[in-house]
Amino acid sequence: MGVTRVAYEADGWGVGELWLDGEVVVWHELPRSAARLQGNRVAHPYAKLLQRYFAGADVSLSDVPLDLEYETPFLERCAHALRAVPRGETVTYGELAALAGSPGAARAAGSFCARNRLGLFVPCHRVVSAGGLGSYGSHGVSYKRRLLELEGAV
């Protein structure tokens, strides 16, 4: 089966993209504010879920199937542990490592989050450093803060 690209527009956030292998998410790009959706709009159920999420609805993405085959066993456990962190709550990198069964592997958990290719489906914005908010890759700390505020995190 081939990979299908689905673009979606989230009001006030921009355009995001999903890459799907059947119904399995293999990649998710968060919306960029400067982008506008061009061309055909595909009405995929996952895109609609994401649009509802960015509109502030309390939707669950934890049951959407993901491609985690490329991960090591520890990193796959990180992904599953992080998907279980409820909306509006945060964990530290050390707590994520402990939830994944490897206390003391905070740096490895941080590396996992830094290269997360599954966006909101593995919500790394819910992971903070022990000393503050932490970074959020190319999207920046303000994007992370905005996601956490959308979820009602303090």
Side-chain angles (χ1 to χ4, degrees):
M1 182 172 285
V3 174
T4 303
R5 177 189 167 269
V6 175
Y8 65 93
E9 190 164 3
D11 289 338
W13 292 83
V15 174
E17 296 183 31
L18 293 169
W19 284 268
L20 306 165
D21 186 356
E23 294 301 308
V24 176
V25 177
V26 297
W27 195 280
H28 175 222
E29 285 290 330
L30 292 166
R32 297 271 184 188
S33 61
R36 284 279 181 248
L37 191 57
Q38 304 294 322
N40 295 339
R41 294 172 187 253
V42 177
H44 190 279
Y46 298 164
K48 289 180 182 181
L49 270 177
L50 290 167
Q51 287 172 322
R52 290 183 53 226
Y53 170 88
F54 284 108
D58 185 4
V59 299
S60 175
L61 303 172
S62 63
D63 58 347
V64 173
L66 304 177
D67 175 21
L68 296 172
E69 292 182 28
Y70 68 98
E71 297 294 4
T72 66
F74 167 70
L75 297 179
E76 187 172 344
R77 291 193 311 271
C78 280
H80 291 295
L82 190 49
R83 293 186 89 189
V85 173
R87 176 187 178 96
E89 293 186 22
T90 60
V91 295
T92 65
Y93 295 103
E95 289 169 335
L96 176 58
L99 289 170
S102 297
R107 291 183 85 123
S111 294
F112 166 74
C113 289
R115 64 174 188 73
N116 178 18
R117 63 182 171 89
L118 297 166
L120 295 177
F121 298 100
V122 178
C124 286
H125 65 280
R126 295 180 187 157
V127 184
V128 297
S129 72
L133 196 56
S135 65
Y136 200 56
S138 66
H139 287 281
V141 174
S142 61
Y143 198 100
K144 181 175 186 171
R145 183 176 292 115
R146 191 173 174 204
L147 288 172
L148 290 171
E149 288 171 356
L150 179 70
E151 294 184 351
V154 177

